[in-house]
Amino acid sequence: MAKRYLSASWKKSMRLRLDYKNMMSEFVGEKEGLTPKAISAYRKAAAGAVENLKQNRGKGWLGWTELPYNQTEIVKDIKETARKIRKTAKNFVVLGIGGSALGPIAVFQALCHLHYNELPARTRKGPKFYVEDNVDPERMDALFDVIDVENTVFNVITKSGATSETMTQYLVIIDRLKAKLGKDYKDRIIATTSASAGNLIKIAASEGFKTYYIPDGVGGRFSELCPVGLLPAAVLGIDISEMLAGAAYMDKISMKKSVSENAPLLNAILQDIAMKRGKNISVMMPYADGLKYFADWYCQIWAESLGKETDLDGNTVNYGQTPVKSLGVTDQHSQVQLYTEGPFDKVVTFLAVDNYRKEVVIPSGCEEFPDVNFLCGHTMNELITAERLATEYALTAKHRLNHTIYLPEINAFTIGELIYYFEMQTAFAGEFLKIDAYNQPGVENGKKATFALLGRRGFEEKRKELDEAFKKKSEYNC
Ligand code: PA5
């Protein structure tokens, strides 16, 4: 079958577009709005940021920039593995957390039927899909009410190979598998992990599990376009080559030095100006249920990458913008009141879709009720679009910064573009803030405290510190 992503004109027709007029003083008012002059002031810094990324492509923590290009053999292997799983397994379960789960969830929601697991097997043509990204015992237990482990393939994903949550899930699953299948459990597990670090790689080698590698320079939240996301997507029947083609297309755009031609760079500039003017909250509001969990994925990459105590020179900066997920139109009825009239501390990013994959006509009826009847004859597509435009208008009228990213439609190519767009936007924002966007020291203390509480060797001192802290807390119990 002809690959549409090889056609230059098709790719152009699928290009994401950024409309940022509602960030500008001309539209949102002088007090809040940004000026063309403020954006032009970034020209040198922007060119420097692009140059830096160009010079360091594929190096250090920029390994993710090469993923659209350097996985030909892996993609072949993944497609073959996925083909077998689609034929034989009834369920495919991802065990992972954070960057090892949010991408697979987002892509599943975006590119599969919105009630995928409830579809009959002959329509699905592949296994049911679950992502277990928590250690809530009720949820873990509930999984076993809807799957039979012997007909399930489990994909254990952890970059560090040491994350307690994921390894706990692994232990629970392996125990169930052994109880059910004796020695024949090995082909029910696929490990996706770092080749060079952690325990999972050692376990996988000694057990003989099929293993995919997360390249060294690809951090958890930048890993959706490596086997972390590619294997689950391929098992779901998604064209992963098209997804990578979308990412490659966005990569070319992201390497342009001219700000007006480089939307991720421009958006990073807009957010940087806004952040430095006290807009501490970034709301991600897609107008499509398919993109609902893309907002979760965005929240992680934006929060964990930019939320930093110190800059690269060691100065205390306490940077970051709190990401908030919101869904249009659902959250118009819960959050938009705040966005329109609350504090001036937000930038709202709308995700709009030009062409939804389905059209639903609102049928005629309720003739005696004109306030209902006016809807008849329109489509739900027109309604959701009108509601988004109306919300953009209402925010702008109240001088609230907002901008819209348009997806011509939701498909594997545009989702690849979108993922890469926000990876690049985050990288550029990190450059402007002069911080390390790829570490997460703030997560460490909590991890160590968990180890201490569960008695891991080497964390005895931490345990004493915690016992002390908990003692003090009891004085304030009510
Ligand atoms: O972005 C990150 O590095 C983190 O959010 C990780 O993805 C998360 O902590 C899970 O780590 P791991 O994949 O090592 O289990």
Side-chain angles (χ1 to χ4, degrees):
M1 207 175 72
K3 309 239 179 272
R4 56 187 183 174
Y5 58 84
L6 298 178
S7 149
S9 61
W10 185 81
K11 287 198 280 194
K12 199 166 166 212
S13 73
M14 288 297 138
R15 182 180 175 144
L16 304 188
R17 306 181 321 273
L18 166 68
D19 178 349
Y20 65 101
K21 67 179 186 306
N22 294 340
M23 298 290 287
M24 305 305 290
S25 53
E26 197 183 330
F27 285 83
V28 87
E30 276 188 13
K31 185 156 180 273
E32 293 297 319
L34 281 47
T35 58
K37 198 171 158 207
I39 297 173
S40 305
Y42 275 74
R43 198 173 295 145
K44 204 166 150 218
V50 173
E51 191 53 33
N52 196 19
L53 259 77
K54 259 191 190 156
Q55 293 299 326
N56 292 301
R57 287 188 73 87
K59 296 182 201 154
W61 283 109
L62 287 176
W64 57 271
T65 56
E66 290 301 309
L67 294 175
Y69 311 107
N70 66 2
Q71 298 188 95
T72 314
E73 284 310 308
I74 297 161
V75 164
K76 226 160 116 190
D77 189 299
I78 285 177
K79 284 184 180 173
E80 185 50 26
T81 303
R83 194 185 58 76
K84 288 185 198 146
I85 294 172
R86 281 170 68 72
K87 258 169 98 178
T88 55
K90 283 195 186 154
N91 312 291
F92 186 81
V93 179
V94 169
L95 309 176
I97 197 164
S100 295
L102 291 165
I105 297 171
V107 168
F108 168 57
Q109 177 81 4
L111 298 177
C112 291
H113 190 282
L114 288 169
H115 294 287
Y116 174 85
N117 280 351
E118 285 84 54
L119 290 173
R122 65 178 182 285
T123 316
R124 255 191 287 114
K125 296 193 184 87
K128 289 187 181 178
F129 184 73
Y130 302 92
V131 180
E132 295 300 305
D133 66 343
N134 204 350
V135 284
D136 179 337
E138 295 181 13
R139 177 162 156 201
M140 186 89 251
D141 190 72
L143 179 69
F144 300 116
D145 292 334
V146 294
I147 64 159
D148 39 2
V149 289
E150 63 273 32
N151 289 315
T152 302
V153 173
F154 296 91
N155 186 192
V156 193
I157 309 179
T158 165
K159 158 92 182 178
S160 62
T163 301
S164 301
E165 293 88 341
T166 306
M167 296 318 291
T168 299
Q169 292 168 338
Y170 167 77
L171 288 166
V172 173
I173 294 299
I174 208 79
D175 186 56
R176 294 263 178 163
L177 280 171
K178 282 181 180 169
K180 199 82 190 181
L181 297 169
K183 286 194 215 120
D184 299 328
Y185 62 88
K186 299 196 174 173
D187 61 349
R188 306 299 199 282
I189 303 262
I190 299 177
T192 304
T193 190
S194 161
S196 57
N199 301 314
L200 185 59
I201 188 67
K202 294 176 201 145
I203 297 168
S206 79
E207 292 275 14
F209 297 149
K210 170 87 182 160
T211 302
Y212 288 103
Y213 302 108
I214 307 175
D216 280 345
V218 178
R221 52 194 177 273
F222 289 84
S223 68
E224 172 52 23
L225 297 170
C226 81
V228 167
L230 296 181
L231 177 64
V235 168
L236 288 163
I238 292 164
D239 185 344
I240 56 173
S241 299
E242 186 172 299
M243 228 166 95
L244 290 171
Y249 187 70
M250 186 49 67
D251 181 50
K252 298 279 180 296
I253 293 171
S254 306
M255 288 297 102
K256 290 183 193 269
K257 280 201 176 146
S258 156
V259 172
S260 61
E261 293 175 67
N262 183 337
L265 179 64
L266 177 54
N267 226 1
I269 293 173
L270 299 173
Q271 292 283 24
D272 192 60
I273 300 174
M275 247 186 278
K276 287 171 181 163
R277 288 191 189 176
K279 308 297 176 213
N280 293 324
I281 297 175
S282 161
V283 178
M284 176 58 68
M285 191 165 188
Y287 272 71
D289 274 43
L291 300 175
K292 181 175 176 178
Y293 296 113
F294 179 79
D296 278 340
W297 177 87
Y298 167 77
C299 285
Q300 187 208 12
I301 198 164
W302 201 241
E304 229 172 63
S305 304
L306 304 187
K308 297 290 150 72
E309 185 170 64
T310 53
D311 66 12
L312 291 171
D313 296 324
N315 303 308
T316 301
V317 289
N318 299 114
Y319 280 145
Q321 209 182 28
T322 305
V324 172
K325 57 181 173 174
S326 189
L327 180 67
V329 305
T330 310
D331 288 317
Q332 286 177 202
H333 297 266
S334 74
Q335 299 176 16
V336 165
Q337 169 61 32
L338 170 75
Y339 300 163
T340 319
E341 296 193 350
F344 285 86
D345 57 358
K346 300 171 196 67
V347 177
V348 179
T349 303
F350 294 106
L351 296 181
V353 179
D354 290 331
N355 295 303
Y356 290 87
R357 287 163 287 188
K358 302 283 172 188
E359 184 180 83
V360 175
V361 177
I362 306 170
S364 56
C366 294
E367 282 77 8
E368 61 281 27
F369 299 102
D371 293 351
V372 177
N373 185 257
F374 78 97
L375 295 165
C376 303
H378 288 291
T379 61
M380 288 178 79
N381 310 51
E382 287 175 304
L383 179 60
I384 194 168
T385 302
E387 296 212 35
R388 175 180 53 76
L389 290 170
T391 305
E392 287 179 21
Y393 157 79
L395 287 180
T396 307
K398 286 284 193 177
H399 318 294
R400 310 296 164 140
L401 298 182
N402 66 90
H403 58 274
T404 304
I405 296 168
Y406 286 87
L407 284 78
E409 65 182 35
I410 300 175
N411 58 39
F413 188 85
T414 56
I415 291 300
E417 276 188 275
L418 193 64
I419 289 167
Y420 204 84
Y421 183 114
F422 280 102
E423 289 179 346
M424 272 293 170
Q425 179 181 312
T426 305
F428 288 135
E431 294 276 329
F432 296 143
L433 293 172
K434 297 189 173 55
I435 50 147
D436 181 346
Y438 303 100
N439 64 3
Q440 51 282 326
V443 183
E444 289 307 311
N445 207 13
K447 277 192 185 174
K448 286 180 189 149
T450 308
F451 296 153
L453 288 171
L454 289 185
R456 182 169 156 183
R457 214 177 329 144
F459 291 85
E460 295 77 10
E461 278 309 306
K462 191 80 191 165
R463 179 63 199 243
K464 282 187 203 150
E465 195 184 310
L466 286 163
D467 287 344
E468 196 55 31
F470 289 142
K471 239 187 260 159
K472 282 183 195 150
K473 191 180 154 212
S474 63
E475 292 167 24
Y476 295 99
N477 281 356
C478 173

